[in-house]
Amino acid sequence: MKKIYTCIDIGNDTIRILVSEYYHKRFRTLAVSSVRSKGVKNGVIVDENLLLERLRLALNDIESRINLPIKKAIITIPACDAEYSLVHGNVPIVNEEKMVTKKDVLRVQNASLNDILPNMELVNITPIDFTIYENGSEIETIKDPKNKICDRLGIRAMMVCVPKVHVVSYAKVVEAAKVEVVDLVLSPIADFEEVYDEEMLKETTAVINIGRNTTTIGMFNKGIITNSSVLKIGSRIIDDDISYIYYTTKKVARKVKENFGVAHPRYANKTETYETRDVNGKLVSINQYELSKVINKRLVEILNVAKNELKVLTNKQIRYIMVLGGITDMPGVNFVLEDVFGKQAKTYTINTLGIRKARFITASGALKHFVKKIKLRGKEYSMFSSEEEDNLVHSKTRIGKSESVFGRFFNYFFDN
Protein backbone atom coordinates (compact mmCIF):
# COMPACT_ATOMS: atom_id res chain seq x y z
CA MET A 1 0.00 0.00 0.00
CA LYS A 2 1.33 3.42 -0.93
CA LYS A 3 2.08 6.09 1.68
CA ILE A 4 2.79 9.77 1.11
CA TYR A 5 5.30 11.74 3.20
CA THR A 6 6.51 15.34 3.29
CA CYS A 7 9.80 16.79 4.55
CA ILE A 8 10.63 20.44 5.14
CA ASP A 9 14.37 21.10 5.16
CA ILE A 10 15.15 24.67 6.24
CA GLY A 11 18.72 25.73 5.55
CA ASN A 12 20.65 28.97 5.90
CA ASP A 13 20.36 29.61 2.18
CA THR A 14 17.47 27.50 0.90
CA ILE A 15 14.16 26.04 2.04
CA ARG A 16 13.54 22.67 0.41
CA ILE A 17 10.25 20.77 0.53
CA LEU A 18 9.98 17.21 -0.72
CA VAL A 19 6.78 15.18 -1.14
CA SER A 20 7.43 11.48 -1.76
CA GLU A 21 5.43 8.34 -2.23
CA TYR A 22 6.62 5.13 -0.57
CA TYR A 23 5.35 2.21 -2.61
CA HIS A 24 6.64 -1.36 -2.97
CA LYS A 25 9.65 -0.45 -0.77
CA ARG A 26 10.70 2.37 -3.10
CA PHE A 27 10.51 6.15 -2.84
CA ARG A 28 9.16 8.11 -5.78
CA THR A 29 9.21 11.88 -5.81
CA LEU A 30 5.86 13.52 -6.37
CA ALA A 31 6.89 17.17 -6.03
CA VAL A 32 9.77 19.33 -4.86
CA SER A 33 10.11 23.01 -4.07
CA SER A 34 13.21 25.09 -3.45
CA VAL A 35 13.20 28.78 -2.52
CA ARG A 36 15.81 31.10 -1.08
CA SER A 37 15.73 31.17 2.71
CA LYS A 38 15.83 34.33 4.80
CA GLY A 39 15.96 34.85 8.54
CA VAL A 40 18.40 31.99 9.29
CA LYS A 41 22.07 32.49 10.16
CA ASN A 42 24.52 29.68 10.91
CA GLY A 43 21.66 27.25 11.58
CA VAL A 44 19.86 29.56 14.03
CA ILE A 45 16.63 31.41 13.23
CA VAL A 46 17.23 35.13 13.73
CA ASP A 47 14.01 36.47 12.16
CA GLU A 48 10.96 34.21 12.46
CA ASN A 49 8.67 36.51 10.48
CA LEU A 50 11.05 36.71 7.53
CA LEU A 51 11.55 32.94 7.51
CA LEU A 52 7.79 32.35 7.76
CA GLU A 53 7.24 34.52 4.70
CA ARG A 54 9.69 32.45 2.68
CA LEU A 55 8.31 29.16 3.99
CA ARG A 56 4.81 30.13 2.92
CA LEU A 57 6.18 30.88 -0.53
CA ALA A 58 7.70 27.39 -0.72
CA LEU A 59 4.49 25.79 0.54
CA ASN A 60 2.39 27.69 -1.98
CA ASP A 61 4.70 26.52 -4.74
CA ILE A 62 4.54 22.83 -3.84
CA GLU A 63 0.82 22.93 -3.07
CA SER A 64 0.19 24.30 -6.56
CA ARG A 65 2.02 21.27 -7.93
CA ILE A 66 0.02 18.64 -6.03
CA ASN A 67 -3.24 20.61 -5.79
CA LEU A 68 -3.52 19.89 -2.05
CA PRO A 69 -2.44 21.71 1.12
CA ILE A 70 0.51 20.40 3.10
CA LYS A 71 -0.87 19.69 6.58
CA LYS A 72 1.84 17.49 8.11
CA ALA A 73 5.59 17.22 7.68
CA ILE A 74 8.86 15.99 9.08
CA ILE A 75 11.37 18.79 9.67
CA THR A 76 15.14 18.63 9.75
CA ILE A 77 17.03 20.16 12.66
CA PRO A 78 20.60 21.47 12.23
CA ALA A 79 23.30 19.94 14.40
CA CYS A 80 24.25 23.26 16.04
CA ASP A 81 25.37 22.60 19.65
CA ALA A 82 24.16 18.99 19.48
CA GLU A 83 25.17 16.76 22.40
CA TYR A 84 25.74 13.00 22.19
CA SER A 85 25.41 10.63 25.16
CA LEU A 86 25.83 6.89 25.53
CA VAL A 87 22.84 5.75 27.62
CA HIS A 88 21.64 2.48 29.18
CA GLY A 89 18.33 1.10 30.40
CA ASN A 90 16.55 -2.14 31.24
CA VAL A 91 12.98 -3.28 31.82
CA PRO A 92 11.26 -6.49 32.95
CA ILE A 93 9.40 -8.58 30.37
CA VAL A 94 5.91 -8.81 31.81
CA ASN A 95 3.88 -10.85 29.31
CA GLU A 96 3.05 -14.45 30.15
CA GLU A 97 5.22 -15.92 27.41
CA LYS A 98 8.23 -13.84 28.54
CA MET A 99 8.80 -13.06 24.87
CA VAL A 100 10.26 -9.71 23.78
CA THR A 101 7.80 -7.74 21.63
CA LYS A 102 8.03 -4.46 19.71
CA LYS A 103 6.37 -2.76 22.68
CA ASP A 104 9.14 -4.04 24.96
CA VAL A 105 11.76 -2.62 22.58
CA LEU A 106 10.06 0.79 22.81
CA ARG A 107 9.74 0.48 26.60
CA VAL A 108 13.43 -0.19 27.08
CA GLN A 109 14.32 2.71 24.76
CA ASN A 110 12.16 5.01 26.86
CA ALA A 111 13.79 3.65 30.02
CA SER A 112 17.19 4.78 28.72
CA LEU A 113 16.06 8.39 28.36
CA ASN A 114 17.32 10.00 31.52
CA ASP A 115 19.37 13.01 32.55
CA ILE A 116 18.06 15.22 29.72
CA LEU A 117 18.71 18.79 30.81
CA PRO A 118 15.69 21.15 30.90
CA ASN A 119 17.22 23.36 28.19
CA MET A 120 17.79 20.43 25.82
CA GLU A 121 15.44 18.58 23.49
CA LEU A 122 15.72 14.92 22.50
CA VAL A 123 15.87 14.55 18.71
CA ASN A 124 17.18 11.01 18.31
CA ILE A 125 17.73 7.78 20.20
CA THR A 126 19.54 5.02 18.29
CA PRO A 127 19.91 1.53 19.78
CA ILE A 128 23.44 0.13 19.60
CA ASP A 129 22.60 -3.31 20.99
CA PHE A 130 20.29 -5.14 23.40
CA THR A 131 21.10 -7.52 26.27
CA ILE A 132 18.98 -10.51 27.22
CA TYR A 133 18.80 -11.44 30.93
CA GLU A 134 17.47 -14.52 32.66
CA ASN A 135 17.38 -14.97 36.44
CA GLY A 136 19.60 -11.91 36.82
CA SER A 137 22.32 -13.28 34.54
CA GLU A 138 23.35 -11.87 31.18
CA ILE A 139 22.62 -14.41 28.44
CA GLU A 140 23.59 -12.65 25.21
CA THR A 141 23.99 -9.28 23.50
CA ILE A 142 22.19 -8.93 20.18
CA LYS A 143 21.02 -6.33 17.64
CA ASP A 144 17.39 -7.46 17.41
CA PRO A 145 15.83 -8.90 20.59
CA LYS A 146 12.28 -9.38 19.28
CA ASN A 147 10.81 -12.85 19.95
CA LYS A 148 13.59 -13.74 22.38
CA ILE A 149 12.58 -15.41 25.67
CA CYS A 150 13.89 -13.68 28.81
CA ASP A 151 12.81 -12.00 32.02
CA ARG A 152 14.64 -8.67 31.52
CA LEU A 153 15.78 -6.67 28.50
CA GLY A 154 18.65 -4.17 28.51
CA ILE A 155 19.70 -1.58 25.97
CA ARG A 156 22.76 0.45 25.05
CA ALA A 157 21.92 3.45 22.88
CA MET A 158 23.17 6.79 21.57
CA MET A 159 21.02 9.74 22.64
CA VAL A 160 21.18 13.01 20.71
CA CYS A 161 19.89 16.29 22.14
CA VAL A 162 19.98 19.85 20.81
CA PRO A 163 19.16 23.10 22.59
CA LYS A 164 15.42 23.35 23.09
CA VAL A 165 15.41 26.93 21.78
CA HIS A 166 16.52 25.69 18.34
CA VAL A 167 13.81 23.05 18.12
CA VAL A 168 11.10 25.37 19.40
CA SER A 169 12.01 28.13 16.95
CA TYR A 170 11.95 25.81 13.92
CA ALA A 171 8.74 24.10 15.00
CA LYS A 172 7.10 27.44 15.78
CA VAL A 173 7.73 28.78 12.28
CA VAL A 174 6.50 25.60 10.58
CA GLU A 175 3.36 25.45 12.72
CA ALA A 176 2.72 29.15 12.10
CA ALA A 177 2.50 28.14 8.43
CA LYS A 178 -0.31 25.76 9.51
CA VAL A 179 1.77 22.59 9.09
CA GLU A 180 1.85 20.04 11.90
CA VAL A 181 5.36 18.85 12.81
CA VAL A 182 5.17 15.05 12.92
CA ASP A 183 8.82 14.28 13.66
CA LEU A 184 12.30 15.79 13.92
CA VAL A 185 15.40 14.47 12.14
CA LEU A 186 18.91 15.73 12.81
CA SER A 187 20.43 16.85 9.51
CA PRO A 188 23.62 14.69 9.59
CA ILE A 189 21.53 11.62 10.50
CA ALA A 190 19.32 12.32 7.48
CA ASP A 191 22.42 12.69 5.30
CA PHE A 192 23.83 9.34 6.43
CA GLU A 193 20.48 7.62 5.95
CA GLU A 194 20.54 8.65 2.31
CA VAL A 195 24.16 7.81 1.47
CA TYR A 196 25.17 4.74 3.49
CA ASP A 197 25.80 1.27 2.15
CA GLU A 198 26.37 -2.03 3.96
CA GLU A 199 30.14 -1.50 4.16
CA MET A 200 29.69 1.81 5.98
CA LEU A 201 27.70 0.01 8.67
CA LYS A 202 30.89 -1.88 9.56
CA GLU A 203 33.33 1.03 9.63
CA THR A 204 33.85 4.64 10.75
CA THR A 205 32.34 7.10 8.29
CA ALA A 206 32.39 10.90 8.07
CA VAL A 207 29.64 12.77 6.22
CA ILE A 208 30.57 16.33 5.19
CA ASN A 209 27.74 18.52 3.92
CA ILE A 210 28.98 21.80 2.40
CA GLY A 211 26.26 24.43 2.58
CA ARG A 212 26.39 28.02 1.44
CA ASN A 213 27.28 29.53 4.82
CA THR A 214 28.14 26.52 6.96
CA THR A 215 29.62 23.05 6.60
CA THR A 216 28.16 20.26 8.74
CA ILE A 217 30.18 17.18 9.66
CA GLY A 218 28.61 14.03 11.07
CA MET A 219 30.74 11.21 12.47
CA PHE A 220 29.33 7.68 12.40
CA ASN A 221 30.69 4.48 13.93
CA LYS A 222 29.08 1.36 12.45
CA GLY A 223 26.06 3.41 11.41
CA ILE A 224 25.59 5.14 14.78
CA ILE A 225 26.19 8.88 14.99
CA THR A 226 28.80 9.68 17.64
CA ASN A 227 29.63 13.34 17.10
CA SER A 228 29.07 16.31 14.83
CA SER A 229 30.28 19.81 14.15
CA VAL A 230 28.96 22.85 12.30
CA LEU A 231 31.73 24.96 10.75
CA LYS A 232 31.13 28.59 9.83
CA ILE A 233 32.50 28.25 6.34
CA GLY A 234 30.69 27.35 3.13
CA SER A 235 30.51 27.82 -0.61
CA ARG A 236 29.68 31.52 -0.24
CA ILE A 237 33.41 32.27 -0.07
CA ILE A 238 33.71 31.00 -3.65
CA ASP A 239 31.05 33.49 -4.78
CA ASP A 240 32.85 36.25 -2.88
CA ASP A 241 36.11 35.55 -4.73
CA ILE A 242 34.44 35.40 -8.14
CA SER A 243 32.61 38.66 -7.40
CA TYR A 244 35.84 40.36 -6.31
CA ILE A 245 38.07 39.11 -9.15
CA TYR A 246 35.61 39.79 -11.97
CA TYR A 247 33.99 42.83 -10.35
CA THR A 248 30.47 41.40 -10.53
CA THR A 249 27.57 41.34 -8.10
CA LYS A 250 27.27 38.38 -5.73
CA LYS A 251 24.16 37.25 -7.59
CA VAL A 252 26.02 37.18 -10.91
CA ALA A 253 28.99 35.45 -9.29
CA ARG A 254 26.77 32.68 -7.98
CA LYS A 255 25.15 32.24 -11.38
CA VAL A 256 28.57 32.00 -13.04
CA LYS A 257 29.69 29.40 -10.49
CA GLU A 258 26.57 27.26 -10.85
CA ASN A 259 26.23 27.44 -14.64
CA PHE A 260 29.84 27.56 -15.81
CA GLY A 261 32.06 26.61 -12.89
CA VAL A 262 34.36 23.59 -12.75
CA ALA A 263 35.95 22.48 -9.48
CA HIS A 264 39.34 21.37 -10.83
CA PRO A 265 41.52 22.86 -13.60
CA ARG A 266 42.14 19.33 -14.89
CA TYR A 267 38.47 19.21 -15.87
CA ALA A 268 38.23 22.74 -17.34
CA ASN A 269 38.30 23.88 -20.97
CA LYS A 270 41.09 26.42 -21.56
CA THR A 271 39.35 27.99 -24.55
CA GLU A 272 35.73 28.15 -23.33
CA THR A 273 34.45 31.49 -22.03
CA TYR A 274 31.34 32.90 -20.36
CA GLU A 275 30.20 36.48 -20.94
CA THR A 276 28.43 38.56 -18.30
CA ARG A 277 28.29 42.12 -17.00
CA ASP A 278 30.24 43.68 -14.16
CA VAL A 279 28.76 46.10 -11.61
CA ASN A 280 29.21 48.98 -14.09
CA GLY A 281 27.45 47.15 -16.90
CA LYS A 282 30.69 46.49 -18.76
CA LEU A 283 30.92 43.19 -20.66
CA VAL A 284 33.25 40.70 -18.96
CA SER A 285 34.55 37.49 -20.54
CA ILE A 286 35.37 34.76 -18.01
CA ASN A 287 37.67 31.92 -19.04
CA GLN A 288 36.62 28.55 -17.63
CA TYR A 289 40.17 27.43 -16.86
CA GLU A 290 40.99 30.61 -14.94
CA LEU A 291 37.63 30.42 -13.14
CA SER A 292 38.32 26.80 -12.14
CA LYS A 293 41.51 27.86 -10.37
CA VAL A 294 39.55 30.40 -8.32
CA ILE A 295 36.93 27.80 -7.39
CA ASN A 296 39.49 25.10 -6.70
CA LYS A 297 41.50 27.24 -4.29
CA ARG A 298 38.50 28.04 -2.10
CA LEU A 299 37.02 24.54 -2.25
CA VAL A 300 40.33 23.09 -1.12
CA GLU A 301 40.30 25.59 1.76
CA ILE A 302 36.80 24.45 2.85
CA LEU A 303 37.78 20.79 2.66
CA ASN A 304 41.01 21.33 4.60
CA VAL A 305 39.08 23.04 7.41
CA ALA A 306 36.74 20.04 7.45
CA LYS A 307 39.70 17.64 7.37
CA ASN A 308 41.22 19.28 10.43
CA GLU A 309 37.87 19.09 12.23
CA LEU A 310 37.70 15.34 11.62
CA LYS A 311 40.75 14.93 13.85
CA VAL A 312 38.88 16.75 16.63
CA LEU A 313 35.73 14.65 16.26
CA THR A 314 37.36 11.20 16.39
CA ASN A 315 40.66 9.48 16.97
CA LYS A 316 39.57 6.43 15.00
CA GLN A 317 40.68 5.71 11.46
CA ILE A 318 38.03 7.00 9.07
CA ARG A 319 37.31 4.45 6.36
CA TYR A 320 34.80 6.42 4.32
CA ILE A 321 34.27 10.14 3.75
CA MET A 322 31.09 11.21 1.96
CA VAL A 323 31.00 14.82 0.76
CA LEU A 324 27.57 16.31 0.04
CA GLY A 325 25.98 19.66 -0.73
CA GLY A 326 24.93 21.56 -3.83
CA ILE A 327 28.57 22.32 -4.70
CA THR A 328 29.11 18.60 -5.39
CA ASP A 329 26.95 18.87 -8.51
CA MET A 330 29.84 20.79 -10.06
CA PRO A 331 32.07 18.87 -12.52
CA GLY A 332 35.51 17.95 -11.21
CA VAL A 333 34.68 17.81 -7.48
CA ASN A 334 35.90 14.21 -7.14
CA PHE A 335 39.36 15.30 -8.35
CA VAL A 336 39.49 17.88 -5.55
CA LEU A 337 38.37 15.32 -2.96
CA GLU A 338 41.13 12.96 -4.02
CA ASP A 339 43.70 15.76 -3.75
CA VAL A 340 42.62 16.58 -0.16
CA PHE A 341 41.49 13.26 1.33
CA GLY A 342 42.75 10.52 -0.95
CA LYS A 343 40.65 7.75 -2.40
CA GLN A 344 38.40 7.19 0.64
CA ALA A 345 36.42 10.38 -0.11
CA LYS A 346 33.67 10.60 -2.70
CA THR A 347 30.48 12.41 -3.59
CA TYR A 348 27.04 10.86 -3.75
CA THR A 349 24.60 10.64 -6.64
CA ILE A 350 21.04 10.57 -5.38
CA ASN A 351 19.06 7.71 -6.92
CA THR A 352 15.52 8.42 -5.73
CA LEU A 353 13.16 8.72 -8.68
CA GLY A 354 12.35 12.33 -9.47
CA ILE A 355 15.34 14.01 -7.78
CA ARG A 356 18.48 15.06 -9.63
CA LYS A 357 19.98 17.73 -7.39
CA ALA A 358 22.32 17.11 -4.44
CA ARG A 359 20.56 19.81 -2.44
CA PHE A 360 17.66 17.39 -1.80
CA ILE A 361 19.82 14.68 -0.20
CA THR A 362 19.03 15.74 3.38
CA ALA A 363 15.28 15.88 2.79
CA SER A 364 15.29 12.50 1.05
CA GLY A 365 17.31 10.92 3.85
CA ALA A 366 14.98 12.39 6.47
CA LEU A 367 12.00 10.66 4.85
CA LYS A 368 13.86 7.34 4.71
CA HIS A 369 14.82 7.69 8.37
CA PHE A 370 11.21 8.41 9.31
CA VAL A 371 9.90 5.38 7.42
CA LYS A 372 12.50 3.17 9.10
CA LYS A 373 11.32 4.39 12.53
CA ILE A 374 7.71 3.62 11.62
CA LYS A 375 8.62 0.10 10.55
CA LEU A 376 10.51 -0.54 13.80
CA ARG A 377 7.36 0.40 15.67
CA GLY A 378 5.22 -1.86 13.52
CA LYS A 379 3.07 1.09 12.44
CA GLU A 380 1.57 2.30 9.18
CA TYR A 381 1.30 6.01 8.58
CA SER A 382 0.63 8.46 5.77
CA MET A 383 0.54 12.25 5.90
CA PHE A 384 -2.34 12.30 3.43
CA SER A 385 -5.70 10.56 3.73
CA SER A 386 -6.75 8.02 1.11
CA GLU A 387 -9.20 10.59 -0.29
CA GLU A 388 -6.43 13.17 -0.57
CA GLU A 389 -4.12 10.65 -2.24
CA ASP A 390 -6.76 10.05 -4.90
CA ASN A 391 -6.77 13.80 -5.64
CA LEU A 392 -3.02 14.23 -5.36
CA VAL A 393 -2.55 15.57 -8.88
CA HIS A 394 -2.68 18.97 -10.53
CA SER A 395 -5.67 19.34 -12.86
CA LYS A 396 -3.43 20.22 -15.81
CA THR A 397 -1.42 17.00 -15.50
CA ARG A 398 -4.17 14.47 -14.79
CA ILE A 399 -3.45 11.46 -16.98
CA GLY A 400 -5.93 8.99 -15.62
CA LYS A 401 -6.26 6.82 -12.54
CA SER A 402 -3.29 4.66 -11.70
CA GLU A 403 -2.59 2.19 -8.90
CA SER A 404 0.44 4.35 -8.07
CA VAL A 405 0.49 8.12 -7.83
CA PHE A 406 3.92 7.93 -9.47
CA GLY A 407 2.55 7.79 -12.98
CA ARG A 408 0.51 10.96 -12.56
CA PHE A 409 3.50 13.16 -11.88
CA PHE A 410 5.81 12.34 -14.76
CA ASN A 411 5.69 15.94 -15.99
CA TYR A 412 7.05 17.19 -12.67
CA PHE A 413 10.03 14.91 -12.37
CA PHE A 414 12.53 16.98 -14.25
CA ASP A 415 11.54 20.44 -13.03
CA ASN A 416 14.32 20.48 -10.40
Side-chain angles (χ1 to χ4, degrees):
M1 184 177 180
K2 68 193 176 195
K3 302 295 180 184
I4 311 296
Y5 304 105
T6 300
C7 177
I8 299 175
D9 178 28
I10 300 175
N12 294 304
D13 179 64
T14 309
I15 298 172
R16 293 160 288 260
I17 303 180
L18 171 63
V19 180
S20 274
E21 175 191 59
Y22 185 66
Y23 187 68
H24 286 173
K25 298 182 180 180
R26 295 188 70 188
F27 282 91
R28 296 156 174 169
T29 302
L30 303 182
V32 294
S33 178
S34 177
V35 304
R36 293 287 179 235
S37 179
K38 293 181 180 179
V40 184
K41 185 176 181 180
N42 297 329
V44 177
I45 297 175
V46 295
D47 190 327
E48 291 182 0
N49 292 329
L50 196 56
L51 179 59
L52 177 59
E53 179 184 322
R54 303 301 295 177
L55 176 58
R56 282 174 174 158
L57 184 63
L59 287 168
N60 289 339
D61 177 50
I62 203 160
E63 287 169 358
S64 70
R65 294 172 181 267
I66 63 175
N67 203 31
L68 280 174
I70 301 295
K71 297 178 181 178
K72 299 179 180 181
I74 306 155
I75 64 172
T76 60
I77 299 295
C80 302
D81 303 315
E83 294 183 359
Y84 301 85
S85 305
L86 187 64
V87 296
H88 302 79
N90 67 81
V91 295
I93 304 303
V94 295
N95 61 68
E96 292 183 3
E97 296 82 5
K98 294 293 181 179
M99 179 181 290
V100 178
T101 65
K102 291 177 180 178
K103 289 184 178 180
D104 295 317
V105 173
L106 293 178
R107 284 174 55 232
V108 77
Q109 285 189 35
N110 290 335
S112 69
L113 302 178
N114 48 33
D115 300 327
I116 299 177
L117 297 175
N119 66 322
M120 302 298 286
E121 182 77 22
L122 175 72
V123 295
N124 191 76
I125 178 78
T126 305
I128 299 173
D129 50 41
F130 297 87
T131 303
I132 301 297
Y133 295 91
E134 278 190 28
N135 300 320
S137 299
E138 180 179 322
I139 303 302
E140 63 176 327
T141 298
I142 53 179
K143 292 294 184 180
D144 185 0
K146 291 191 293 295
N147 300 324
K148 290 287 184 177
I149 304 298
C150 62
D151 52 31
R152 292 194 73 85
L153 177 66
I155 189 175
R156 188 168 59 114
M158 180 62 69
M159 181 176 71
V160 185
C161 297
V162 300
K164 191 182 291 288
V165 63
H166 294 345
V167 176
V168 170
S169 61
Y170 275 88
K172 182 179 177 182
V173 170
V174 173
E175 290 174 354
K178 302 190 183 305
V179 178
E180 177 188 347
V181 177
V182 174
D183 197 17
L184 312 171
V185 182
L186 197 74
S187 292
I189 291 178
D191 289 339
F192 183 82
E193 191 70 47
E194 177 63 38
V195 306
Y196 83 90
D197 59 24
E198 291 302 315
E199 290 302 313
M200 292 181 194
L201 296 179
K202 304 172 186 176
E203 305 286 350
T204 300
T205 303
V207 180
I208 302 172
N209 193 322
I210 302 172
R212 181 160 168 77
N213 299 293
T214 60
T215 295
T216 301
I217 303 174
M219 191 63 61
F220 296 81
N221 182 36
K222 297 180 180 179
I224 307 294
I225 192 166
T226 59
N227 213 339
S228 66
S229 182
V230 179
L231 307 174
K232 294 180 181 180
I233 186 172
S235 61
R236 179 189 288 272
I237 64 171
I238 299 174
D239 301 349
D240 291 343
D241 272 13
I242 296 172
S243 174
Y244 177 78
I245 292 170
Y246 297 103
Y247 203 51
T248 68
T249 64
K250 299 292 177 62
K251 184 177 181 180
V252 168
R254 182 172 184 166
K255 184 178 179 181
V256 170
K257 179 191 71 177
E258 293 178 350
N259 295 332
F260 189 62
V262 172
H264 200 291
R266 191 190 316 174
Y267 205 83
N269 188 323
K270 292 185 177 181
T271 62
E272 193 168 349
T273 59
Y274 183 99
E275 291 190 343
T276 187
R277 300 279 178 179
D278 66 15
V279 293
N280 294 321
K282 182 181 177 181
L283 193 64
V284 177
S285 182
I286 300 175
N287 177 271
Q288 189 178 69
Y289 181 77
E290 295 300 324
L291 176 65
S292 71
K293 291 195 289 186
V294 176
I295 295 172
N296 179 264
K297 180 180 179 181
R298 284 303 196 183
L299 184 54
V300 167
E301 179 184 347
I302 295 168
L303 293 173
N304 275 324
V305 171
K307 184 178 181 180
N308 290 334
E309 187 67 12
L310 294 180
K311 299 173 184 176
V312 176
L313 294 175
T314 184
N315 56 9
K316 293 186 176 182
Q317 182 179 2
I318 300 172
R319 180 67 178 84
Y320 300 99
I321 300 174
M322 301 297 298
V323 182
L324 317 176
I327 192 73
T328 61
D329 283 330
M330 184 180 294
V333 169
N334 279 316
F335 288 128
V336 187
L337 297 183
E338 186 173 342
D339 288 346
V340 177
F341 293 110
K343 294 187 179 298
Q344 76 264 42
K346 60 181 180 179
T347 59
Y348 175 78
T349 301
I350 193 165
N351 59 7
T352 300
L353 289 172
I355 309 176
R356 294 187 302 168
K357 298 294 185 181
R359 62 175 175 263
F360 289 103
I361 285 175
T362 304
S364 179
L367 291 181
K368 292 178 180 178
H369 182 74
F370 179 72
V371 169
K372 182 182 287 187
K373 287 171 67 174
I374 292 172
K375 287 184 176 180
L376 287 174
R377 287 159 174 76
K379 302 288 185 180
E380 288 194 356
Y381 184 82
S382 178
M383 294 177 185
F384 294 85
S385 68
S386 57
E387 293 80 8
E388 288 174 324
E389 289 173 10
D390 288 339
N391 295 319
L392 196 64
V393 59
H394 194 284
S395 59
K396 291 182 180 179
T397 63
R398 191 180 298 275
I399 59 175
K401 190 170 180 63
S402 169
E403 183 181 13
S404 169
V405 179
F406 168 70
R408 309 181 193 178
F409 284 82
F410 187 79
N411 290 333
Y412 286 128
F413 283 168
F414 304 104
D415 288 348
N416 292 274

